[in-house]
Amino acid sequence: MSSADIPEGTVRNILEQDTLKWVFVGGKGGVGKTTCSSILSILLAQVRSSVLIISTDPAHNLSDVFQQRFTKTPTLVNGFSNLYAMEVDPNVENDDIGGNEGMDSLFSELSNAIPGIDEAMSFAEMLKLVQTMGYSCIVFDTAPTGHTLRLLQLPSTLEKGLQKVMSLKSKFGGLISQMTRLFGLDDEFGEDAILGRLESMKDVIEKVNKQFKDPDLTTFVCVCIPEFLSLYETERLVQELAKVEIDTHNIIINQVLYDEEDVESKLLKARMRMQKKYLDQFYMLYDDFNITKLPLLPQEVTGVESLKAFSRNFISPYQPSTSRGTVEDVERRISTLKLQLEDTEAELDRHRKGKQKV
């Protein structure tokens, strides 16, 4: 593949795809998913009428990254007129689902009987809420890979749950009806009410599931770092996404060390060599992906201004600084060398004094 055929190493393709409705950002824990999803949402807000970023990670970090408190209700991000954020618990809560106490207890029993059905129902309720809000684009800051894959498989989980309930209805439907009449309960507690509620959730999640499988409407951005475990996790994620028919053509490689000329540390140089090996593997495996490399910074990226400043690396490839540039660069290089020389002379003096005592 010639250099002209290699996709651009930015996220411009996502910003320019104005049909996109759902953008998932995921990967291994600790690789910077929340920072990347937050910056993506900021960039999308510059080209879209309204953007919502949702954290589905139980250990929410959105509030920390934006330095603003978010809840399960969409909240306008400070400094924006069209960017909203919310943090939702992927585990179902009876109060959030709505309905009466008797119905909730039945659904609680159902969730214990069918593994994953509680998450599916919670996800369906959240999607139903989001669908009515009319956001132009929705960004998901997802949980680590295993949780994310389960989240994307929830439509089939809900379908299996409904089939199980239907089979129970065919076996015990008459008994349930007799029991509800015997105890003087109204139709709100009957099997029809339960099935109706599940059916409505299934309709919503099936509609969204079709959108998820449409590459014009949905894409998944994989975030990773140039290390073996992260490369392995990314490959597993890409394969699983292919199985569930969700489009992915962007990879963000975070925490990359660049060989800038003032780097003298042997440890850093060793890490650079290790990273280069895995970066080469990323480019070999995903030669048709847009791969965006982000530099490792000496400080965390938190707060809207820091996020905006770092976002430039998402739309144009990062260029490491060199000492052959400005006068300031040369002076910084000389200052570094002077400090290293002073440390070396001090170490030499200590060795000489040690020998004299012996």
Side-chain angles (χ1 to χ4, degrees):
M1 181 181 285
S2 68
S3 58
D5 296 327
I6 297 173
E8 187 182 25
T10 70
V11 298
R12 285 182 186 273
N13 61 310
I14 294 174
L15 304 179
E16 291 168 359
Q17 189 177 339
D18 53 14
T19 58
L20 274 179
K21 172 78 173 174
W22 313 92
V23 178
F24 288 88
V25 180
K28 189 175 178 293
V31 296
K33 295 185 299 296
T34 302
T35 301
C36 291
S37 60
S38 300
I39 290 175
L40 259 179
S41 67
I42 287 173
L43 292 172
L44 282 164
Q46 295 172 5
V47 296
R48 296 297 192 93
S49 58
S50 59
V51 177
L52 173 67
I53 178 169
I54 301 175
S55 171
T56 60
D57 188 342
H60 297 300
N61 293 312
L62 268 188
S63 295
D64 298 324
V65 169
F66 280 105
Q67 295 182 339
Q68 179 182 347
R69 177 77 181 124
F70 299 120
T71 63
K72 58 189 176 183
T73 304
T75 304
L76 188 65
V77 178
N78 293 335
F80 294 88
S81 60
N82 64 338
L83 176 59
Y84 298 80
M86 63 187 287
E87 295 177 335
V88 297
D89 189 344
N91 297 313
V92 72
E93 295 180 19
N94 288 339
D95 293 341
D96 296 337
I97 289 179
N100 49 52
E101 192 176 332
M103 182 72 85
D104 288 336
S105 65
L106 288 171
F107 272 82
S108 177
E109 292 298 322
L110 178 63
S111 68
N112 292 330
I114 307 167
I117 194 76
D118 54 345
E119 284 182 307
M121 288 160 58
S122 177
F123 192 51
E125 286 291 336
M126 187 262 293
L127 290 175
K128 190 187 292 184
L129 173 70
V130 167
Q131 286 278 71
T132 62
M133 293 179 179
Y135 291 101
S136 171
C137 187
I138 295 151
V139 179
F140 283 90
D141 171 36
T142 67
T145 309
H147 296 282
T148 302
L149 293 174
R150 196 163 72 243
L151 186 75
L152 296 172
Q153 292 163 353
L154 290 181
S156 58
T157 302
L158 190 56
E159 195 165 354
K160 287 175 186 174
L162 188 60
Q163 288 170 356
K164 187 164 185 176
V165 173
M166 292 292 281
S167 67
L168 288 173
K169 181 195 174 186
S170 62
K171 290 180 182 177
F172 304 108
L175 179 62
I176 294 172
S177 298
Q178 289 176 21
M179 291 294 288
T180 53
R181 284 197 298 272
L182 180 65
F183 289 102
L185 300 173
D186 55 29
D187 292 339
E188 287 182 307
F189 297 94
E191 77 273 12
D192 289 338
I194 299 170
L195 289 173
R197 189 160 162 199
L198 273 178
E199 287 274 15
S200 67
M201 287 183 186
K202 183 170 175 285
D203 289 343
V204 171
I205 212 162
E206 278 185 347
K207 179 184 174 184
V208 172
N209 194 35
K210 283 180 184 175
Q211 294 184 11
F212 283 0
K213 292 182 179 181
D214 185 345
D216 290 333
L217 297 172
T218 304
T219 194
F220 197 107
V221 179
C222 304
V223 183
C224 56
I225 55 177
E227 294 182 6
F228 170 73
L229 286 177
S230 190
L231 173 64
Y232 172 79
E233 195 92 344
T234 303
E235 176 60 16
R236 183 167 78 98
L237 179 57
V238 169
Q239 289 181 6
E240 290 296 329
L241 289 170
K243 285 181 187 176
V244 294
E245 301 174 58
I246 291 180
D247 171 75
T248 178
H249 48 257
N250 279 80
I251 292 177
I252 295 175
I253 306 178
N254 198 15
Q255 301 177 18
V256 176
L257 289 165
Y258 284 85
D259 193 7
E260 304 184 62
E261 292 197 7
D262 59 353
V263 173
E264 300 293 337
S265 166
K266 289 182 180 179
L267 174 62
L268 285 179
K269 286 188 176 291
R271 295 288 297 181
M272 284 176 200
R273 288 192 294 272
M274 181 205 74
Q275 285 194 354
K276 185 180 184 305
K277 178 176 71 172
Y278 293 116
L279 285 168
D280 289 343
Q281 290 184 37
F282 271 109
Y283 281 104
M284 184 179 68
L285 285 168
Y286 308 107
D287 57 352
D288 57 341
F289 277 58
N290 295 77
I291 298 179
T292 306
K293 292 194 298 182
L294 302 175
L296 177 67
L297 298 182
Q299 73 283 340
E300 293 180 328
V301 182
T302 56
V304 171
E305 293 309 313
S306 295
L307 292 168
K308 284 181 176 177
F310 194 57
S311 70
R312 65 175 178 267
N313 299 310
F314 283 64
I315 51 180
S316 60
Y318 173 75
Q319 297 296 330
S321 62
T322 64
S323 61
R324 295 193 186 92
T326 63
V327 173
E328 288 82 2
D329 289 331
V330 176
E331 288 176 345
R332 182 163 54 88
R333 173 74 168 164
I334 291 169
S335 176
T336 302
L337 289 172
K338 280 182 178 177
L339 288 171
Q340 289 174 347
L341 181 61
E342 289 172 5
D343 289 342
T344 305
E345 287 176 341
E347 185 69 23
L348 185 60
D349 281 343
R350 283 196 295 272
H351 277 294
R352 284 172 178 166
K353 288 176 181 176
K355 283 184 179 179
Q356 286 174 359
K357 286 181 180 178
V358 173

